[in-house]
Each structure stands twice: as C-alpha cells, then as structure tokens.
Amino acid sequence: MSPTPVTMTSPVRPASYSWEATSEQVAARYGIPVERIVRFDLNTSPEAPELAGRVLAAGRFESSLSEYPPSDYHRLVDAAARRYGVAREEILVGAGADEVLDLLGKAFLPAGGAAVVPSPTYAMYRVLTEQRAASVLSVARRGAADGFALDVPAVREAARHASLVWLCSPNNPTGLPDPPGAIENLLAGITEDAAADGRPAPVVALDEAYADFTETTLLPLRSRFPRLVIVRTASKAYGLAGLRVGFAIADRRTIDEIATYRPPGSVSTVSVTVVATAFETDGWLEGRVAAIHAERERLAAGLRDAGWEPGPSVTNFLLVPLGSPERAAAIAEALLRQGLVPRTFGAGHPLSDHLRITVRSVEEDDRLIAAAREIGAGIGTEIRA
Amino acid sequence: MSPTPVTMTSPVRPASYSWEATSEQVAARYGIPVERIVRFDLNTSPEAPELAGRVLAAGRFESSLSEYPPSDYHRLVDAAARRYGVAREEILVGAGADEVLDLLGKAFLPAGGAAVVPSPTYAMYRVLTEQRAASVLSVARRGAADGFALDVPAVREAARHASLVWLCSPNNPTGLPDPPGAIENLLAGITEDAAADGRPAPVVALDEAYADFTETTLLPLRSRFPRLVIVRTASKAYGLAGLRVGFAIADRRTIDEIATYRPPGSVSTVSVTVVATAFETDGWLEGRVAAIHAERERLAAGLRDAGWEPGPSVTNFLLVPLGSPERAAAIAEALLRQGLVPRTFGAGHPLSDHLRITVRSVEEDDRLIAAAREIGAGIGTEIRA
C-alpha cells in the first residue's frame, strides 16, 4: 500500500455523529430570537418547492396513513427511474441518502473489513465504517490548487485492501467535482487490480448528492461497472431534506444485494407521495438550480468584496479559507453572535482553517455579506496581532 | 445451555425480509379491483386519526421541509416523554420500531455474537440478528394451552450465551402478553446470572408495539433494570404506520449507547409534527382502543359462528388455528380470491397451521366473516378428504 497519503485507522468503538446544534439551541446560547437564526451549515435549499404544500393540503396519498408505506414504493420508484433515466430494478429507496449509505455499509463492509475514505469529505463515511467495526483507509485529497481532486493512484492502491470505497463528487465540503475521467479511470484501475489479484472488485459508492446542481452525472458508468453504486437524494437541489428520501442506483444484481438489508418501509407514505410528485413534475427544478447558481456567484462576489476568498464551487455551498484555525473559529463565533450559523471543522481536521457556507436566499445571504464586511477584517487583524 | 428447547443457528448470509405483496400485486394476481383488497395481514389500524389530516392541511411544521428535521426531535421527544411518563433523556426516536430494533442490533450485537429469540415471534428479530452476522439462539415458547408464554428458565439459560435478548409482549403473532411477573423474573434471573458469571448482563429488548391496546406496560422496570430497552410505536394503536415513528425507552446511559448509532434525522419533519400532535392530544386514543377491543370480540364471535376457533387476544389481531398447514393454506387462498389478505406462516414455521387476522372496520370484518362462513367448512372437508 502506498504509505505516504494513506492513514489507516483500526476498528474502534465508533464515535457518535456530532450533531449540529438545533436552531433553538443556537438561539438560546446567543440570546437571539429563533426566527433570526439562519442555517448556513447544512447545505439545504432556502425553501421547499410549492408543490410540497399543495400535495400535503390535498391529503391524497398512495395509501392511508394508518397503513405501512407500500413495500415497493411503486410510484416513487417509477418516477425516480424516469427522472434518472434508469430501469426500476436499478433503484433502491432509502430514508435519505444517509440510510442508503448505511445499507451500503451493511451489504458490503463486513466487521473487520476496510473501507477507503478520500478526505476531506462527508463525515458519515467514516462514522458508518466505524459502526461496522471496520478500518478506515483515509487517503488525502490533493490541495486547493488542484481543486481537492482525488489522488487516483493512492485511492486505487488503497482499494486493493478494501471491500468498499466511498467517493463523493461533487465533493462535500470542497464544492467541486472530480476532474473529467478521474473516477472512470479509478474504476477501471480498481477492476483491473481485482482481476489481477483474483478477488472480487470492491464496491465503489459514489455519492452524487450535489450532482443535481451540475449538468453531469456518472450514472452511465453503472452498466460498465456493476459494482458502482450511485447515491442520489431529494434533500439538496429538490429542497426536500425534511422528507428523508434518497436512492441507490446500480446494476440490478448489486441493488438486489443491497435490498437484502433494506428495512420494511423506512420512508413515510407522505414523503413517498410528495417526492414522487416532485419527480413527476417537469420544469421547476431547472429554475431553482439556475437561481442557486446565480445566488452563489452573487454571494461569492459579496464575500470577496468583504475580503474573503471563497473557493470555486458547482454546488449550493462555498468553502472559504480563512488563514488559520484560530481566525476561522473567531469568525464563526462572530457570525453565530448574529444568528448566522456557518459550518466549522474541528481541530485537527484538514479544513480547520476554513468555513463552509450554504447558499441561501438573497435576504439571508445579504445578512452574511454584511456580517463579513463588519467583522472579517477586524477579527483577522485582531487574531493575527 | 439447556439443549432441548434451544436451536442455535450459526451466522449465515441473511435472507431478505420477505415482503408482503402490495395490494396492487394481490389485485393483479386475483383479478380484483384494488379498492376491494383488505389487509388483514399487517396489524395496522383501519384508519388514521382525523387529526393527522388536519395537521397536514395546516402545513405548519417544526421547520421548513427544505431543512433537515430538528436533530433532537425536540417537540416529539417532549410529547412522548409526557405520554409514556418518562424523562426526555430516556427516549430515543427512530423511523418506526423497525429502525429502533436495527439500532439495538448495531449497539448491542457484535458480529459473531449471539441473540436469544423466543419463537414464534416477530420475524425481524431473526432477520436483524442475521444481518449482524450473529447467531440466533431460538427458544421455543410454550404451546397454545399455556398462552404461548415464554419458557423463562430456557430463555434465562440461553441468555448466558448472548449479548441481546429479543422479547415481545404482548407477543406477535400469538396475541397475548407474558404472564404477570414472568419478564420481571427473567430480568432478575439474567442479571443474577451475569453477576455470577462475572460478565455484563445482556441487553433485553422488550418490544411493546401492542402495549397501547392493554392497560399494562413494563416501562416501570427500566429503573430497576438499566439494560432493559422498551420499544414503542405510533404504528399500531395510534394508527400512524405510514409515518414511521417508533421509540426506544430505557435508562439514560443505555439510551446514550444506542444514540451512538442513531442516524442524523431519519424521521420526516411531517411525521415528527403529526405524531407529536397526536401524543399531545388527549382523549382520542382511549376511544379508538375501546372500539378495537369491541370489534375484536365481535369479529372473534363471528368467526366462531363460522366454525373457526380464534385464540384469545389483547391486541388488534387474532391467531386462528386451522388444523393443518394444508387447510390453512387453502383457506388463505380462498380468502385471497375475495381480496381478503390474511397473514400466513410459511412451511416449517411452528404456526404454519394458523392464520393471523387483523381486526379492521366493521364492514371489512363482515366481509371476512361472510367469507369464513362460505368457505371454511367446505374447504376443510375437501382438504381432509
């Protein structure tokens, strides 16, 4: 195994996912009315689509709320198959992408096994690996100058020792997709290595939670790579995080393997109906995505005017380098005092000198820009002094 | 380990939970309009409480549907704490009792470990144990004449070799609670054995999904037995199976251990709000439960008139012995031809000569009674000939 960029963590009793404070907790701590709290830390959309309210008010669901959800989520699977351009049998529904990721751990990561986690990335991959009593093979991503791209040779080498590889593109929290061809090359290399080593290829989980913000997806690769599982969600561009709906999309034999672990109906009938309706309704998503892109560029420009240097992003969030962990922490605290909640990265995290900022509404973003103007430079000087 | 009643199954690649056919599938198979299909097989309530529709139509939720559900489910936990008479810190929320059971497996059942399953009981305990790559120590319950009661000495002995014991009272699919004092004695015995053996006591998961139909609960035992975890649900008496809300209730240190595995927000914001409202609203549950008890007795009398002999039940279902697996299967098929879906037990199951029948509405139950009158005796004769 290439020793330099890979850090192996042996199985440990897993740490709990560290929950974000609720808005009520932030409000109480900073003495701010809860209505003034704005979540710049969760990469959610500023509002749910109108059609959600209409479906709820109509009150017509696939089945009575006193019955379990339809075990095959028939209408939702049909709608998702059309939306993603895949066959029904290539889709599995979960309670948000998070449950889908959990099912992938259950299906493909035995106790004592190992999973590759290119870092920094979404924190749940490590948490879920540890929950399976498996080892994390952490492979550093390249730096900001290289768009935090995957270190393909290092990931490929680490994958020789793993049964599962967690990828995320566009990557959270760095905001960019991997370079064209990188993941395809990685998949080809992993497949080749497994054949050469005479063992089954590891499953590659590719989290495309933010792909709806781009025009690209690696979904077409699933036919060439049957061990590729692509994860999608209704929580980001679709603006329905509160409903908890996510999907695994893969070759049907791989979906069948995951389905062994699918619980009988974890997704509410209400969620099934609203998300199916959203997927069946054409034309509204494109407008939302365009608005978020425009607002992201406006927010980035405003923050640059305030002296910050947000990195490039194709998603609904910005990663902002702030020079030092101390300055990032001080700015986060100053924002929190105004009810603006940024995403921080703990001490020891490779991005501990960054904040991650979700693109929200014009009004909310204007509050952030104003706050950045007020506090940014002053605090930086103070901290550096 | 007491050899006679215990059957040990070594870890195997788990079988998928065998899904019930959807109503659409039953309708298509038997050429019946889907509106004529009645689910007597899922132990759900015949209708959701009216307040669910009112909450949905009002469209006011804890947070926007574009945001993740509040990570602490604050209002729901408060409402559940009042309803169950426990402290907030003694409650953990899951996406239905099924997710709670999954979390118990994750927290307390390591790969290669073992869990005790008194049988017959709810099928998920075995499924979840197998999903953990753990062994099932199956302990036979006593027979119908003894109300299918736990074999306390045998379960106690098996528990010496397990880290988790799955109990269900009132038990599904047998319909009765364990005799007064039985589970308390078992808990005391298990605790004593663990102390004598110098090892931690196994966790005892007590599924009280059907306890809302009775006036009794073993919740008070949690203070004496900190490794007792009681599972409750909004799916049965509350009539909200489609919303997927369940609870673990235990000593707060045990809840903290389970919380390590709790995913960040698996329960929809809509579900959180509706179930919180249902729990906050007094007076309506008692009427529903009384109606189900009365209707259960009416249904049982009607089936007895038709020549069947349903066993006693304190729940919303009846277990009906039908003499032989062949007769049970033939009657199930005859009911299905009329769109009435009973719960069957596969070949080899100790109850393969039984059907389980959910108490539904008067109109629906009348269809079942009429069908039983028409087909019961005739088919029995035919099959026996």
Side-chain angles (χ1 to χ4, degrees), chain A residues 74-261:
Chain A
H74 189 84
R75 183 179 154 201
L76 177 59
V77 168
D78 275 352
R82 276 194 300 272
R83 180 70 48 174
Y84 295 125
V86 305
R88 289 179 52 82
E89 296 74 20
E90 294 178 306
I91 292 188
L92 180 140
V93 174
D98 283 326
E99 187 187 53
V100 173
L101 299 175
D102 182 59
L103 295 175
L104 296 180
K106 285 175 168 170
F108 303 119
L109 198 47
V116 180
V117 181
S119 301
T121 193
Y122 182 39
M124 281 304 286
Y125 312 139
R126 170 178 286 272
V127 170
L128 291 170
T129 303
E130 291 176 353
Q131 288 190 356
R132 296 294 297 165
S135 299
V136 173
L137 301 175
S138 179
V139 180
R141 283 179 166 271
R142 299 189 188 285
D146 297 316
F148 299 102
L150 282 177
D151 182 342
V152 170
V155 173
R156 176 177 169 176
E157 182 57 31
R160 295 184 99 135
H161 308 273
S163 61
L164 185 59
V165 179
W166 299 107
L167 302 182
C168 184
S169 181
N171 188 46
N172 170 17
T174 53
L176 292 174
D178 281 295
I183 290 176
E184 187 171 352
N185 290 340
L186 175 61
L187 286 163
I190 285 175
T191 307
E192 195 183 309
D193 291 344
D197 297 349
R199 57 177 171 76
V203 167
V204 175
L206 171 60
D207 186 346
E208 286 196 340
Y210 298 93
D212 293 312
F213 294 111
T214 73
E215 309 248 304
T216 56
T217 169
L218 296 183
L219 275 171
L221 291 182
R222 76 195 185 287
S223 43
R224 220 178 112 203
F225 299 104
R227 304 305 274 170
L228 170 66
V229 182
I230 290 169
V231 180
R232 304 294 292 255
T233 182
S235 298
K236 301 299 182 186
Y238 284 92
L240 293 167
L243 297 183
R244 318 308 303 119
V245 176
F247 304 92
I249 304 174
D251 180 273
R252 58 195 75 195
R253 287 159 300 178
T254 301
I255 289 294
D256 285 347
E257 284 183 62
I258 306 167
T260 302
Y261 296 87

Side-chain angles (χ1 to χ4, degrees), chain A:
Chain A
M1 191 181 321
S2 169
T4 326
V6 179
T7 314
M8 173 159 165
T9 315
S10 290
V12 290
R13 182 98 188 152
S16 185
Y17 187 81
S18 65
W19 309 101
E20 288 81 12
T22 63
S23 297
E24 287 74 13
Q25 289 164 344
V26 175
R29 181 163 163 206
Y30 291 93
I32 298 168
V34 70
E35 315 81 61
R36 293 288 290 165
I37 305 296
V38 185
R39 306 303 302 231
F40 288 94
D41 61 332
L42 296 170
N43 292 354
T44 47
S45 280
E47 59 185 346
E50 260 184 71
L51 64 83
R54 284 202 302 275
V55 173
L56 294 175
R60 282 189 299 276
F61 304 106
E62 318 304 289
S63 50
S64 163
L65 298 187
S66 63
E67 301 298 329
Y68 288 99
S71 60
D72 60 358
Y73 303 120
H74 189 84
R75 183 179 154 201
L76 177 59
V77 168
D78 275 352
R82 276 194 300 272
R83 180 70 48 174
Y84 295 125
V86 305
R88 289 179 52 82
E89 296 74 20
E90 294 178 306
I91 292 188
L92 180 140
V93 174
D98 283 326
E99 187 187 53
V100 173
L101 299 175
D102 182 59
L103 295 175
L104 296 180
K106 285 175 168 170
F108 303 119
L109 198 47
V116 180
V117 181
S119 301
T121 193
Y122 182 39
M124 281 304 286
Y125 312 139
R126 170 178 286 272
V127 170
L128 291 170
T129 303
E130 291 176 353
Q131 288 190 356
R132 296 294 297 165
S135 299
V136 173
L137 301 175
S138 179
V139 180
R141 283 179 166 271
R142 299 189 188 285
D146 297 316
F148 299 102
L150 282 177
D151 182 342
V152 170
V155 173
R156 176 177 169 176
E157 182 57 31
R160 295 184 99 135
H161 308 273
S163 61
L164 185 59
V165 179
W166 299 107
L167 302 182
C168 184
S169 181
N171 188 46
N172 170 17
T174 53
L176 292 174
D178 281 295
I183 290 176
E184 187 171 352
N185 290 340
L186 175 61
L187 286 163
I190 285 175
T191 307
E192 195 183 309
D193 291 344
D197 297 349
R199 57 177 171 76
V203 167
V204 175
L206 171 60
D207 186 346
E208 286 196 340
Y210 298 93
D212 293 312
F213 294 111
T214 73
E215 309 248 304
T216 56
T217 169
L218 296 183
L219 275 171
L221 291 182
R222 76 195 185 287
S223 43
R224 220 178 112 203
F225 299 104
R227 304 305 274 170
L228 170 66
V229 182
I230 290 169
V231 180
R232 304 294 292 255
T233 182
S235 298
K236 301 299 182 186
Y238 284 92
L240 293 167
L243 297 183
R244 318 308 303 119
V245 176
F247 304 92
I249 304 174
D251 180 273
R252 58 195 75 195
R253 287 159 300 178
T254 301
I255 289 294
D256 285 347
E257 284 183 62
I258 306 167
T260 302
Y261 296 87
R262 182 166 78 81
S266 53
V267 183
S268 152
T269 303
V270 174
S271 299
V272 168
T273 305
V274 175
V275 174
T277 307
F279 276 27
E280 288 161 359
T281 308
D282 288 329
W284 65 276
L285 184 69
E286 295 71 11
R288 284 173 69 92
V289 167
I292 286 170
H293 284 306
E295 178 58 14
R296 182 188 64 230
E297 295 313 311
R298 196 189 71 85
L299 172 61
L303 294 179
R304 276 193 297 269
D305 281 351
W308 293 3
E309 293 162 12
S313 169
V314 300
T315 66
N316 67 336
F317 61 85
L318 295 168
L319 185 67
V320 186
L322 290 162
S324 72
E326 295 73 20
R327 185 163 182 256
I331 290 178
E333 184 65 20
L335 293 173
L336 281 162
R337 267 185 246 125
Q338 301 198 24
L340 311 173
V341 187
R343 173 63 194 265
T344 57
F345 303 95
H349 190 285
L351 297 175
S352 57
D353 53 345
H354 290 65
L355 295 178
R356 196 192 65 193
I357 302 286
T358 302
V359 179
R360 299 204 53 105
S361 70
V362 171
E363 296 70 26
E364 292 171 334
D365 292 344
D366 278 345
R367 282 182 61 195
L368 187 77
I369 293 167
R373 282 203 185 116
E374 267 176 48
I375 63 180
I379 284 176
T381 316
E382 192 182 304
I383 294 287
R384 283 190 190 123

Side-chain angles (χ1 to χ4, degrees), chain B residues 98-307:
Chain B
D98 283 327
E99 188 187 53
V100 172
L101 299 174
D102 183 59
L103 295 174
L104 296 180
K106 285 175 169 170
F108 303 120
L109 198 46
V116 180
V117 181
S119 302
T121 193
Y122 182 40
M124 281 304 286
Y125 312 139
R126 170 178 285 273
V127 169
L128 291 169
T129 303
E130 290 176 354
Q131 287 189 357
R132 295 295 296 167
S135 299
V136 173
L137 302 175
S138 178
V139 179
R141 283 179 165 270
R142 299 189 187 285
D146 297 315
F148 298 101
L150 281 178
D151 182 342
V152 170
V155 173
R156 176 177 170 178
E157 181 57 31
R160 297 184 97 134
H161 308 274
S163 61
L164 184 60
V165 178
W166 298 106
L167 303 182
C168 184
S169 182
N171 187 47
N172 169 18
T174 54
L176 293 174
D178 280 296
I183 291 176
E184 187 172 350
N185 290 340
L186 175 60
L187 287 162
I190 286 174
T191 307
E192 194 183 309
D193 291 344
D197 297 350
R199 57 179 168 74
V203 166
V204 175
L206 171 58
D207 185 346
E208 285 197 337
Y210 297 93
D212 293 312
F213 294 112
T214 73
E215 309 249 303
T216 55
T217 170
L218 296 184
L219 274 171
L221 291 182
R222 77 195 184 286
S223 44
R224 217 176 115 204
F225 300 104
R227 303 305 273 170
L228 171 66
V229 181
I230 290 170
V231 180
R232 303 294 292 254
T233 181
S235 298
K236 301 300 182 185
Y238 285 92
L240 293 167
L243 297 183
R244 318 308 303 120
V245 176
F247 304 92
I249 304 174
D251 180 274
R252 59 195 75 196
R253 287 161 300 178
T254 302
I255 290 294
D256 285 348
E257 284 183 61
I258 306 167
T260 303
Y261 295 87
R262 182 166 79 81
S266 53
V267 183
S268 151
T269 303
V270 175
S271 299
V272 169
T273 306
V274 174
V275 174
T277 307
F279 276 28
E280 287 160 359
T281 308
D282 289 328
W284 65 276
L285 184 69
E286 295 72 11
R288 282 173 71 91
V289 167
I292 286 170
H293 283 305
E295 179 57 15
R296 182 186 66 229
E297 295 312 311
R298 197 190 70 85
L299 171 61
L303 294 178
R304 277 194 295 271
D305 281 351

